[in-house]
Amino acid sequence: MAELESARVDAWLWAVRICKTRSAATAACRAGHVRVNGDRAKAALPVRPGDEVRVRLHGFDRILIVRRPIVKRVSAEVAATAVEDRTPPPPPREAVPTVPVRDRGSGRPTKRERRDLDRLRGR
């Protein structure tokens, strides 16, 4: 298999299994959720070995380093060698504040309930 110098960022994200489909990777680029070396990336931007790719998925940033540019869907073992994941671990559940949940159908909060919610959220 011949080594590639570069690959499109959307094809690479799909090939290393960050996005489920190539069109989802393209949509993420179009929406501005993909950055390559700190700059917003269009779908056709080439990535090369050593580039840092930041992808915002499900509200969290994933920090990835390109080890090998690939454009075809390959086995999980080969895909794992093409990317280095430098995403920090998520914070422990105790550190994340809980979101208060209102009963469904209970209507708008009263002024007193809203003030209690604001106090709970630290505003």
Side-chain angles (χ1 to χ4, degrees):
M1 184 169 129
E3 280 294 315
L4 297 173
E5 279 186 33
S6 65
R8 286 175 55 117
V9 69
D10 63 340
W12 184 79
L13 288 171
W14 170 71
V16 296
R17 295 185 162 101
I18 302 303
C19 296
K20 287 190 176 203
T21 63
R22 172 112 181 246
S23 60
T26 304
C29 292
R30 225 180 269 131
H33 298 302
V34 179
R35 293 184 172 274
V36 177
N37 296 327
D39 299 325
R40 282 182 63 174
K42 291 188 175 180
L45 183 77
V47 291
R48 292 176 174 76
D51 284 349
E52 179 189 70
V53 179
R54 288 180 180 254
V55 184
R56 186 147 188 92
L57 291 173
H58 312 295
F60 297 101
D61 281 345
R62 296 206 43 198
I63 303 168
L64 310 165
I65 304 296
V66 179
R67 289 287 154 232
R68 214 174 60 175
I70 56 176
V71 293
K72 299 285 185 190
R73 193 77 166 197
V74 292
S75 68
E77 295 83 24
V78 175
T81 64
V83 63
E84 178 184 336
D85 195 351
R86 290 197 181 163
T87 306
R93 285 193 176 259
E94 299 83 36
V96 178
T98 59
V99 177
V101 178
R102 290 182 51 82
D103 292 331
R104 190 176 176 116
S106 63
R108 289 178 56 174
T110 63
K111 187 182 277 189
R112 182 179 189 174
E113 290 172 336
R114 184 185 53 77
R115 286 180 179 153
D116 289 341
L117 288 172
D118 286 345
R119 198 174 303 114
L120 183 65
R121 290 179 180 149
R123 293 185 191 157

